[in-house]
Amino acid sequence: MQNVSLFSLIGGASPRMVRIVVDGRRVEVPEYASVAAALLYADVTVFCHTPVGAAPRAPYCMMGVCFDCLVEIDGLPNQQACMVRVRDGMEIKPMAGARALA
Ligand code: FES
């Protein structure tokens, strides 16, 4: 299958890879990446849906400003994927709608 990711490694670099689980799917991503970059590398294009209109969202700014990259990381909802570094064993799920209050 052809890799359709918009992200690729520069100059044929072969970094150490870590294994994460994205919505039940196991993927390998570079260990230095943010969660947002790792998900884009793994061909994930929808990170969350807006609470009101359920419009799909994906990272826009990649620097913590737009909040279009919200995901659930290891059970914690509303994490900015662009501001968290990926680490081995992470479980990431897309956010759907508004966060429930505890
Ligand atoms: S991509 Fe804009 S806050 Fe994460």
Side-chain angles (χ1 to χ4, degrees):
M1 179 177 182
Q2 181 182 2
N3 183 358
V4 294
S5 175
L6 298 175
F7 283 71
S8 60
L9 301 175
I10 297 173
S14 53
R16 195 171 101 78
M17 304 295 272
V18 294
R19 293 182 181 153
I20 61 175
V21 178
V22 180
D23 207 17
R25 180 172 59 106
R26 294 181 187 277
V27 295
E28 285 195 352
V29 297
E31 75 170 342
Y32 55 76
S34 68
V35 169
L39 295 183
L40 292 170
Y41 180 80
D43 300 330
V44 175
T45 56
V46 176
F47 283 44
C48 61
H49 291 83
T50 58
V52 176
R57 289 289 183 258
Y60 181 69
C61 71
M62 297 294 278
M63 59 183 190
V65 176
C66 71
F67 287 76
D68 278 347
C69 64
L70 297 179
V71 293
E72 179 181 308
I73 300 175
D74 293 334
L76 287 174
N78 289 335
Q79 303 297 302
Q80 287 177 280
C82 67
M83 302 303 290
V84 178
R85 194 171 194 172
V86 74
R87 68 174 183 283
D88 198 45
M90 268 184 168
E91 289 191 35
I92 303 161
K93 295 179 182 171
M95 285 293 304
R99 175 180 174 182
L101 296 177

